Amino acid sequence: QVQLLESGGGLVQPGGSLRLSCAASGSIFSISTMGWYRQAPGKERELVATISSGGGPTYADSVKGRFTISRDNAKNTAYLQMNSLKPEDTAVYYCNLVYRPSERHTWSQYWGQGTQVTVSS
C-alpha cells in the first residue's frame, strides 16, 4: 500500500502564494517522478509540474515563471511553490507518483486525494 499525504491548499487572494506538499510513504522501492496535476470544474485534469528522480522539472506553459517544483528524495516528498497566483489557477490539485513497489515490479502510478486551491478576492 502507498499513501500520499497532500497539504498546503487553501484560499488566497490574486497575486498571493501557496506551497503544496506531497509526502509519499508505504510500499515504495523507488520513485521515478513526482508531480502535480490540477482539475478545474468542468475541465479535464491537466499537468502542472513534474520532477524526475534526477531533479529535472517540467512545467505547463501556464505556470512557467510562477510555480516551482522541488523534491526531497530522502523524505519522498515533493513541493510546489506557487507565486503570483491568478483566479484561473483555481482547481483541485492532485499529487502524482510514479514508483516501483519492489525490485521485481514494474513502474506504477498513484494519485493523491487532491487539495483545493482557490484564488479569489
Side-chain angles (χ1 to χ4, degrees):
Q1 282 285 57
V2 173
Q3 295 82 40
L4 289 179
L5 180 60
E6 300 161 320
S7 62
L11 172 64
V12 65
Q13 292 186 343
S17 299
L18 283 174
R19 188 191 194 212
L20 305 183
S21 298
C22 175
S25 61
S27 301
I28 298 172
F29 171 71
S30 65
I31 296 174
S32 171
T33 302
M34 297 186 76
W36 294 92
Y37 291 69
R38 67 186 181 188
Q39 188 167 17
K43 294 187 177 181
E44 294 187 353
R45 191 172 297 189
E46 62 177 5
L47 169 73
V48 177
T50 63
I51 186 165
S52 68
S53 58
T58 301
Y59 296 99
D61 288 343
S62 59
V63 306
K64 283 181 181 177
R66 300 188 297 122
F67 291 10
T68 302
I69 190 169
S70 60
R71 177 170 165 173
D72 185 335
N73 290 328
K75 296 181 179 180
N76 286 345
T77 300
Y79 306 94
L80 185 68
Q81 178 66 43
M82 305 186 292
N83 299 329
S84 303
L85 282 161
K86 305 175 181 180
E88 50 263 44
D89 294 317
T90 295
V92 178
Y93 284 68
Y94 296 91
C95 181
N96 177 264
L97 176 72
V98 178
Y99 74 106
R100 292 170 68 188
S102 75
E103 193 173 11
R104 300 188 309 273
H105 286 79
T106 57
W107 296 104
S108 299
Q109 183 171 230
Y110 195 82
W111 291 94
Q113 297 286 340
T115 183
Q116 177 70 46
V117 171
T118 302
V119 185
S120 175
S121 56

